[in-house]
């Protein structure tokens, strides 16, 4: 959203808190009762999207969290490492390396986006731990969904920026033609993409994700 929110008449966007909740619920179910030792590879302090995804993940996982309006990051006891990545692959790798030094027993990694997830996987693979750690993420870009299929990422929440853009353009055309102006927030949807479904957490498969992904293929 814009800051202040009333700077725009309307917002077409994903519910980032819900996107985090979906991958959090998936990670909890996939852990199958094991004690969680969690690392979160976040965006940077104070950014609402980063905070919403982070706190949504914690809520979905069943850990103490802030609500969707908070720009602070909750840190429950199960989260042993938090690091900023700016959504960058190289910084994600460095962050994961640092987290492993702090606690080599990490078994769940949440990342702000799929490039950061790919970086985290590189660090885990170099440490020989890629099969011992579950990575979840958010975005649903084509490279990220492909990485779900390859086992790099266990699950990701797919967003639909092309839908956001199309709805925004349609709203502008409608206003130009009729003078009717849209207002408020429209949720443009999010779907959990997972190669291996888990009980109790609805998800779509990789083929669905690839058919609806965005960005470089």
């Amino acid at each position: 959203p814009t800051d202040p929110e009333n700077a725009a008449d309307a917002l077409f966007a994903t519910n980032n808190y819900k996107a985090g909740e979906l991958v959090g619920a998936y990670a909890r179910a996939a852990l199958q009762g094991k004690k969680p030792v969690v690392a979160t590879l976040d965006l940077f302090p104070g950014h609402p999207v980063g905070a919403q995804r982070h706190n949504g993940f914690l809520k979905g996982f069943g850990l103490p969290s802030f609500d969707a309006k908070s720009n602070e990051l909750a840190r429950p006891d199960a989260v042993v490492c938090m690091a900023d990545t700016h959504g960058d692959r190289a910084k994600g790798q460095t962050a994961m390396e640092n987290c492993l030094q702090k606690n080599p027993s990490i078994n769940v990694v949440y990342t702000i986006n799929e490039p950061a997830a790919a970086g985290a996987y590189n660090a885990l693979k170099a440490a020989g731990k890629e099969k011992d750690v579950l990575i979840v993420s958010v975005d649903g870009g084509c490279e990220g969904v492909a990485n779900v299929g390859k086992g790099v990422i266990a699950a990701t929440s797919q967003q639909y920026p092309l839908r956001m853009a199309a709805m925004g353009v349609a709203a502008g055309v409608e206003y130009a033609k009729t003078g009717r102006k849209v207002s408020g927030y429209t949720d443009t949807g999010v779907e959990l993409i997972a190669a291996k479904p888990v009980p109790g957490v609805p998800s779509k498969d990789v083929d669905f994700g690839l058919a609806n992904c965005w960005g470089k293929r």
Side-chain angles (χ1 to χ4, degrees):
T2 54
D3 184 14
E5 289 188 18
N6 63 6
D9 292 303
L11 173 67
F12 298 97
T14 299
N15 182 330
N16 281 292
Y17 195 82
K18 181 180 179 181
E21 279 188 286
L22 288 173
V23 292
Y26 181 93
R28 180 179 182 179
L31 207 56
Q32 296 182 330
K34 296 177 184 176
K35 180 182 178 182
V37 185
V38 181
T40 67
L41 305 190
D42 300 300
L43 192 55
F44 53 81
H47 196 289
V49 171
Q52 288 162 13
R53 293 182 183 184
H54 172 104
N55 292 324
F57 163 79
L58 294 179
K59 184 179 180 184
F61 201 97
L63 296 171
S65 176
F66 295 125
D67 65 26
K69 295 182 180 180
S70 175
N71 288 343
E72 296 182 58
L73 305 184
R75 183 170 185 166
D77 291 341
V79 177
V80 298
C81 186
M82 291 169 55
D84 297 330
T85 69
H86 292 253
D88 178 77
R89 183 188 301 253
K91 291 180 180 177
Q93 181 169 342
T94 300
M96 190 71 250
E97 290 168 351
N98 293 337
C99 284
L100 285 174
Q101 288 181 356
K102 291 180 180 179
N103 193 318
S105 299
I106 289 167
N107 57 12
V108 175
V109 177
Y110 152 83
T111 67
I112 177 65
N113 67 0
E114 292 147 1
Y121 179 84
N122 288 342
L124 291 165
K125 188 174 182 179
K129 293 180 176 292
E130 75 276 13
K131 295 181 180 179
D132 304 323
V133 181
L134 182 83
I135 302 175
V136 294
S137 195
V138 178
D139 265 352
C142 295
E143 288 190 36
V145 174
N147 274 340
V148 174
K150 295 173 184 176
V152 172
I153 304 170
T156 192
S157 284
Q158 185 169 65
Q159 304 180 320
Y160 303 102
L162 298 179
R163 184 183 301 167
M164 300 175 204
M167 293 176 73
V169 170
V173 170
E174 178 71 12
Y175 176 66
K177 287 182 175 179
T178 68
R180 289 196 294 269
K181 186 184 293 185
V182 296
S183 62
Y185 168 61
T186 299
D187 185 346
T188 54
V190 61
E191 293 283 356
L192 182 69
I193 307 299
K196 298 178 181 179
V198 295
V201 184
S203 63
K204 302 290 188 180
D205 62 17
V206 173
D207 286 344
F208 176 94
L210 289 173
N212 292 277
C213 65
W214 51 271
K216 181 180 177 181
R217 290 182 179 270

